[in-house]
Structure formats: structure tokens, C-alpha cells
Amino acid sequence: MNKKHLFLSKVYDSVYDFEKMKYKKKYSEPKIYTGGVDVKKWSKLSERQKKIALSKQWYVYFSFRNPETGLLERQTPIKGNANSLKTKEGRLEILTILRNNLSLALKEGLFPTTNDNNLSDEENLTIEEAFNYVLKIKKNTLAESSFNNFENRIIRFKKFLIEKGFQNKNISAVTKKDVSNYLNIILEKTSPSNRNNNRTDLSSFFSVLVNEDVITQNIVSKIPVLKSSPQKNKAFTEDEVQNIFEYLKENDLWLYYFCAHIYYGLFRNIEVVRIQIKDVKINEQLIHSKTKTGIYYKQIPKILINEFYNKIDLSEYNKDYFLFTKDNEPSQWLTPVNTKSGKKTTTTETNRRSYWGKRFSKIVKKKFNFSSDHTIYSLRHSAIGKMFLVKLNDYKKDDIPNFEEKALDFIRTITNHKDNKTVKNYLREIGYYKIEDWSDTLK
């Protein structure tokens, strides 16, 4: 064989397998994982998005074709000491060098052996280590209330595993059957809805471990979601809203102010307790709000300005004070002194929201004998339902084409539902969407 043919033979041997008349590359080109974001668009990301990306492990990854199975298998992620750096530039500098050197080595025919471990160093995480690892990541990526709910559910699952003898075992020892048994216990004690909520958080827990190459698959993803009937916050009628507000103005003015933000401003309870003085831009009629769908400015309608902001001089208070507190005025809202640290801390937003919900139940629900389906959040449903009916009648009276779709469009800009069909279903659930009366067809 001449030198040219010998050279080509070695090239093909190092890069391709000849199988069934097809060439199959022995490896995938190394790539850099950058925390789930496109670093080319780094400058366009928000500070929160950057923080979330940098809270994750960055690494170089590639796959190698197993000569026994013929399948590409993900190899051990290569991190170097990149994650000890806290900037995008620093991590990329190291990982780019690693990626280029790895690519060169693969082209030279330096492949991993079949006995190499295909998992990262984190594979050896114990149950305790795995839970701490995920909670640390989630704390940097979830809002306070969401993290508290997630943490509580995950900690209960960890307690279950320890009781079942998983104390010193590897997290990869947990099986789908173990999770199913736990979810069945929750179902027996509570409800399908609560069981599904726990399933969602457990799936998120194992998903983090998969993304971080601690385990190879999410064992929860194949556990089905059960059908359930979620509890709805029943909307109040217009007369009921009027009676509630008249009573509160006389008996609990600050609870009325809180309710006014939900009804007139269309805030959610949790969004109201998050408002600090510095968030309010009264001249622009805006409030910097942390909402369910993101962080942005929410408009303050004139009716809310007249009912609250024109009556309270916010300039008298510290800008870091919360707008609504148990003191019936803006303040810090601190917890009692901690017996261990001897310090006071800010009351969690979950407890602040719970406080106002209980206050509403005590003052309003007890007075008017409302059912458990009526909550302080029901006021938001009532406002959205009334707005729909007003817009629907206005568009219809003005003979505007497709007046119903126009009304649904208007509501969708407020609720952020994905389409008008979803808005219609929502309005039907709260009792504010009705078809034309069919009495004439039965005469």
C-alpha cells in the first residue's frame, strides 16, 4: 500500500466506522454549556437572567460512539476550574481553550476507552448532598414564595427517603417506584391536586440533577399527572363588592386599601405584599412589580390613585419600607427577635400574604358569611369579569365588528392568557361569560 493510501486509511479509522455501507462519526464535536443561555445575546439578558446562568455549572461536553453498541454516549463533562470564576468572560476563556484542545485531541484519534466513567464527579452525591445541591441552585432561580413551597415539598420527600433507609445511599439509587410510593401516600392523605403539585416539584428536582450531569434521566417525567378539580376562587357579584368596600371603609381602612390594589389595580395578593415605597413611580403612574410572569412595571389606574395614593404621603417613609404591613402604614415588618441569633429579620412574603388573607377572612368573610371559595383573590376575578362585560356591551352598542373578540382581546392584555379561547374558558369558570339567552328558540 502506498503512503497516500496508508494515510487515508488512518484518517478514516480515527474518525469513522464503516457499517452497512454508511460512515458514522465516532464522536460529536465538543460544545460549551453556558447555563442554558445564548452567550452571544449576553448583553440583552437581564441581571436576573445572568445571575441564574452563572449560578449553574458551565462545562465542555461531547459524545463518543460505543464500539460495542454503536451508539453515541455522553462523556464526562470537562469543567477545569471555570466555575470558580464568577464572570461570563472568565469562564468562556477557560472553557474555550479546553474545547479547542479536546477537539484537536479527538481529531488526532485520542478517544476515551469503553471502561471510562461517562458521568461527572457529582455522580457520587449522597441523598443529603444532592438535596443541598439542588436547593442551593433553586434558591438563586426561584422567587421567595415559589422557593419556600418547593423547599417544603422537597424536604418532606427527603425525610421519606431517609425513613426508608436511603440515609447514606447515592441519589441515583432512588427509583421511579420510590417516587410513586411517596406520591401515593400524599394522594391518600390529601388530594389529587396536592399530589400533582408534589410531582411537579419532584420532577423539577430531578431535572436539575439531570442538567448538572449528576444522574442520567428524570425518573419522575414518566409518572402520569392525575386528573383533579382545582379549587377556584369564586368571584363576587358587583353588589357584594360594593358592600365589602363600604363596610371596610368604615371598619378597616387599610384592609380596604389592600383590597383596592387587587380590585382596581388587578394585582395578585403576593404582588401587593412585595411593593416597597421605592417601587412606586406615582408621577408615571407605574409600580415596579415582581409578578407571576416576570419583573416589569404595572400601570396604576387613576381610580386607585384617587382611592389610595392621593390620600397617603409616601415621601414621609423610608424608601425600603413595605407599602402594606400589619402596622397599618408603611414599615419594615420585622419578625420577633430570633432566640439563637438575637436579631430580627424581615418577615417572609409568604407570611405577609397569609396575614392579609387571614385578616380578610376574619373581617369580611365572617361579617358576610361567605363560603370558603370566596377569598381576597376573588376580588381580582370580580374586577376582570366586570371589565369584560362593560367592554362587551360598549363594543356591541357601538356596533363594532367582532365585538366579542375585541372584548376578549382587551382582557387578554391584562391577564396575559395565551389566546382568546383560554380567556373565554377563564371567564366561564368565574361565571362572567354567557351565551345569548335561548328562550326564544323554545317557544
Side-chain angles (χ1 to χ4, degrees), residues 52-262:
I52 292 173
L54 289 171
S55 71
K56 299 181 180 180
Q57 295 288 300
W58 291 26
Y59 51 81
V60 175
Y61 65 96
F62 75 107
S63 296
F64 170 69
R65 192 175 302 281
N66 189 317
E68 296 178 2
T69 65
L71 301 175
L72 284 172
E73 296 179 351
R74 178 70 71 88
Q75 301 300 299
T76 304
I78 301 173
K79 303 175 182 178
N81 66 341
N83 293 298
S84 65
L85 303 176
K86 303 303 180 184
T87 64
K88 178 259 297 184
E89 292 78 10
R91 292 188 183 186
L92 278 183
E93 182 178 359
I94 291 177
L95 293 175
T96 300
I97 293 173
L98 291 173
R99 181 196 62 190
N100 294 343
N101 288 342
L102 174 60
S103 180
L104 181 61
L106 290 171
K107 290 176 182 177
E108 291 293 330
L110 299 177
F111 301 125
T113 66
T114 56
N115 293 325
D116 284 342
N117 179 9
N118 290 335
L119 296 176
S120 64
D121 294 337
E122 281 83 1
E123 185 199 11
N124 296 318
L125 291 183
T126 64
I127 295 295
E128 186 71 29
E129 291 170 339
F131 277 82
N132 291 339
Y133 185 63
V134 173
L135 288 174
K136 182 178 179 181
I137 291 176
K138 284 293 186 180
K139 191 168 186 178
N140 292 325
T141 59
L142 295 177
E144 182 183 321
S145 59
S146 298
F147 175 75
N148 289 338
N149 291 333
F150 177 84
E151 182 182 34
N152 289 335
R153 291 178 180 134
I154 294 305
I155 293 300
R156 284 196 293 269
F157 178 59
K158 183 179 77 169
K159 183 179 179 181
F160 165 82
L161 291 177
I162 292 174
E163 291 174 350
K164 295 298 180 181
F166 283 82
Q167 177 74 46
N168 298 313
K169 290 186 178 181
N170 188 295
I171 187 64
S172 61
V174 181
T175 67
K176 174 186 172 185
K177 182 65 175 176
D178 295 320
V179 179
S180 294
N181 289 340
Y182 175 71
L183 293 176
N184 287 337
I185 292 174
I186 292 178
L187 179 62
E188 291 175 5
K189 293 182 177 180
T190 56
S191 65
S193 177
N194 189 36
R195 180 265 188 196
N196 288 341
N197 289 336
N198 275 271
R199 179 203 168 278
T200 298
D201 281 347
L202 288 176
S203 181
S204 178
F205 169 82
F206 282 101
S207 180
V208 171
L209 296 177
V210 171
N211 292 338
E212 297 295 318
D213 294 296
V214 177
I215 57 177
T216 58
Q217 62 177 331
N218 185 343
I219 57 177
V220 183
S221 60
K222 293 184 179 180
I223 298 177
V225 177
L226 299 183
K227 290 185 178 180
S228 64
S229 301
Q231 182 181 3
K232 300 294 182 182
N233 297 292
K234 188 179 295 183
F236 296 106
T237 65
E238 289 188 44
D239 287 341
E240 287 172 338
V241 172
Q242 183 176 350
N243 291 336
I244 291 171
F245 282 179
E246 288 178 354
Y247 179 75
L248 288 180
K249 287 178 182 179
E250 294 293 328
N251 296 276
D252 194 332
L253 187 58
W254 272 87
L255 179 56
Y256 165 70
Y257 289 152
F258 190 95
C259 292
H261 278 73
I262 295 174

Side-chain angles (χ1 to χ4, degrees), residues 275-289:
I275 300 174
Q276 294 174 278
I277 302 297
K278 61 186 178 184
D279 296 326
V280 181
K281 314 296 180 184
I282 198 66
N283 292 333
E284 291 82 14
Q285 290 185 225
L286 296 172
I287 291 180
H288 189 251
S289 179

